[in-house]
Amino acid sequence: MTQSGPSELDHAIQGLRTWIESRHFKGYEPFDLLNSPYLRGTWARQLPPAILLIQFGKRFAGRRLRQLLKVPQSRNPKALGLCLSAYCDLARSGCDVSAEAAWLKSELIRLRSPHEPYFSWGYDWDYLSLRGSRLPAFSPNCIASYFCGTAMLEMSEVFGDREALEIAESTAGFMASRLNRSFESADEVCFSYTPNDKTLIYNSSALAGVFLARTGKPSGNQAYLSLARKAMAFLVRGQLPAGGWYYGQLRRQRWIDNFHTSYNVCALLDYQQTTGDRTFEEAMLAGHRYYQATFFSKDGAPRYYHNRTFPIDIHACSQAILHFTAFSALDPPALPRSLKRDLGHPLNIERAWKTFHWTLRNMAAPDGSFYYQRHHLWTNRTPYMRWGQAWMLRALARLQLFSGSGATKVGL
């Protein structure tokens, strides 16, 4: 950490909070092009037009085209969940953000997936993909529900909010009861991405398992703890010899990227820290070593794929900060001597700061927001709310908390 680190971090948090809050948490998303009133016809939701439009919107269409197509800026439930988790960390650091946290909680309640018996969440746009699921707007999925449910858990822990805890427990019911078990044996389970598919995707299944562990451990729910352990076993069985994972088991899902790899590694860490079960520690350490050796250039830039740097994505920047702060929390004196060189406290927190400084130099806009992607010859400067700003706020708040920088004690 450089001497200017804390003040730069304070400034970045304040600038990003101002940007997000002045827009009332509304913004564009890489996948939201079908929200245009000109693309509401059923033809735009059929294959292949839907995929072509969505991918064009993600890769090439920035803010200007969205404005021309009158795509509305909207509140994405996952973005709100990430922001609520960030405010919980800010509260732990001494910021007065109780009013903002309460408002985000109420919005998440309002934006829950309709017609569902359990609290769950989806995205605020229709999505189709050749690689995975078909997701109508606001239909529940595992990933959005995980991040929103986690925010509720943290709300209950930080503010003593009983209703938030009940909502999180309901979300655990969604994970255990509404998600399909795309694969299940005596020792392993893979949870589906949505209640309407049987996908075999590693990161989403692992995060479902972690959430069941976090809700099941305090209450002694052995069924949840058993499912969590089986989800970790499925994840570990899918680990590649080098230490990484494909995105999923289908042939068309065989790519290895930065942030999904980190999700898997951090899921194993979260599971171990929550349950005390060290069964999967070796796989976790192998994944951690692979992640830090594979996905970063010498100057700290996060690479997108295991075999290709560009595009450098703000999501990968944010997750890298979260990843290294998470691993810096391990207490080296309590670890076996053989593990200390893998998980040295200074090394990981320094890596988090290195990524922060690189991101600040290369991805930050003058208005406090962060760019979407840097390509080899050009930069996509669109400041997407969920994909970029909410993720980065979550990362910066966590870096502040873990570094003890004493930043920003008064809410904006």
Side-chain angles (χ1 to χ4, degrees):
M1 178 171 57
T2 66
Q3 188 175 3
S4 62
S7 62
E8 287 183 326
L9 180 58
D10 295 353
H11 181 76
I13 291 173
Q14 290 183 16
L16 184 53
R17 279 191 62 191
T18 298
W19 192 94
I20 291 172
E21 293 173 9
S22 67
R23 287 158 177 79
H24 307 288
F25 300 87
K26 291 183 178 181
Y28 294 123
E29 291 301 326
F31 303 101
D32 65 2
L33 211 63
L34 295 186
N35 280 352
S36 166
Y38 304 122
L39 299 174
R40 286 178 180 167
T42 55
W43 67 272
R45 282 151 180 79
Q46 303 299 319
L47 298 177
I51 291 175
L52 294 174
L53 288 167
I54 290 170
Q55 290 302 316
F56 178 81
K58 175 189 175 185
R59 297 171 188 269
F60 306 110
R63 180 165 37 191
R64 186 171 301 175
L65 181 58
R66 282 174 168 79
Q67 290 170 344
L68 289 173
L69 292 175
K70 297 185 178 180
V71 175
Q73 298 189 52
S74 59
R75 292 192 184 108
N76 182 281
K78 182 178 172 183
L80 300 183
L82 288 165
C83 288
L84 178 53
S85 289
Y87 285 120
C88 288
D89 278 349
L90 291 174
R92 290 184 176 107
S93 295
C95 299
D96 180 10
V97 291
S98 57
E100 292 89 338
W103 184 86
L104 286 166
K105 173 194 157 188
S106 68
E107 276 297 280
L108 283 171
I109 293 173
R110 184 179 71 84
L111 294 173
R112 64 179 289 191
S113 294
H115 315 302
E116 282 290 325
Y118 301 98
F119 270 89
S120 53
W121 292 268
Y123 301 129
D124 56 322
W125 22 260
D126 294 334
Y127 181 70
L128 293 87
S129 171
L130 289 174
R131 292 173 168 176
S133 303
R134 179 185 295 257
L135 305 175
F138 292 104
S139 62
N141 69 72
C142 178
I143 290 294
S145 297
Y146 167 81
F147 285 103
C148 296
T150 296
M152 291 294 180
L153 268 182
E154 293 174 347
M155 178 89 176
S156 70
E157 293 167 359
V158 174
F159 296 101
D161 191 311
R162 178 64 190 175
E163 184 184 30
L165 177 60
E166 292 172 352
I167 292 171
E169 290 172 342
S170 176
T171 305
F174 167 79
M175 303 281 191
S177 302
R178 289 285 289 128
L179 293 179
N180 295 313
R181 298 178 190 179
S182 306
F183 173 84
E184 187 169 20
S185 67
D187 302 316
E188 299 177 12
V189 68
C190 178
F191 293 102
S192 64
Y193 198 90
T194 78
N196 299 319
D197 64 55
K198 291 192 174 182
T199 52
L200 295 163
I201 296 173
Y202 291 112
N203 75 92
S204 58
S205 177
L207 292 177
V210 165
F211 193 80
L212 290 174
R214 287 193 64 182
T215 52
K217 182 66 174 178
S219 63
N221 189 321
Q222 294 304 311
Y224 282 4
L225 292 172
S226 175
L227 286 171
R229 193 179 196 282
K230 290 169 69 172
M232 297 306 110
F234 178 84
L235 175 64
V236 168
R237 183 167 65 86
Q239 191 172 26
L240 299 170
W245 287 264
Y246 292 127
Y247 176 75
Q249 286 198 350
L250 295 180
R251 182 170 294 277
R252 63 176 179 263
Q253 296 169 334
R254 290 189 176 182
W255 75 87
I256 306 172
D257 68 50
N258 184 310
F259 45 86
H260 289 115
T261 300
S262 178
Y263 285 177
N264 292 338
V265 179
C266 289
L268 291 169
L269 176 62
D270 289 347
Y271 171 81
Q272 178 173 300
Q273 291 180 325
T274 298
T275 65
D277 181 359
R278 305 175 78 96
T279 302
F280 310 107
E281 185 170 62
E282 183 178 345
M284 176 191 76
L285 294 176
H288 176 63
R289 287 192 294 267
Y290 175 80
Y291 175 75
Q292 64 183 353
T294 303
F295 290 107
F296 298 89
S297 62
K298 291 182 180 180
D299 65 352
R303 305 173 70 220
Y304 200 104
Y305 295 106
H306 75 292
N307 57 359
R308 191 169 82 235
T309 297
F310 293 99
I312 298 174
D313 193 291
I314 192 60
H315 193 99
C317 298
S318 306
Q319 183 58 30
I321 295 170
L322 289 166
H323 181 105
F324 290 121
T325 53
F327 274 85
S328 75
L330 295 180
D331 183 13
L335 292 172
R337 181 176 300 175
S338 62
L339 300 183
K340 290 181 183 178
R341 61 179 176 271
D342 295 318
L343 295 172
H345 182 92
L347 176 62
N348 285 291
I349 199 63
E350 287 170 4
R351 282 180 174 270
W353 277 100
K354 187 174 183 179
T355 303
F356 164 71
H357 286 301
W358 186 94
T359 304
L360 207 60
R361 291 194 307 269
N362 295 277
M363 303 291 284
D367 64 0
S369 67
F370 288 84
Y371 302 141
Y372 171 41
Q373 289 181 339
R374 287 183 69 92
H375 295 259
H376 187 61
L377 297 175
W378 64 286
T379 300
N380 187 329
R381 300 175 185 271
T382 307
Y384 292 119
M385 183 63 76
R386 171 192 62 96
W387 189 269
Q389 315 319 308
W391 267 109
M392 185 53 68
L393 184 63
R394 169 65 159 154
L396 298 182
R398 181 52 55 106
L399 180 61
Q400 174 185 296
L401 178 64
F402 276 55
S403 300
S405 68
T408 314
K409 299 300 182 184
V410 180
L412 294 176

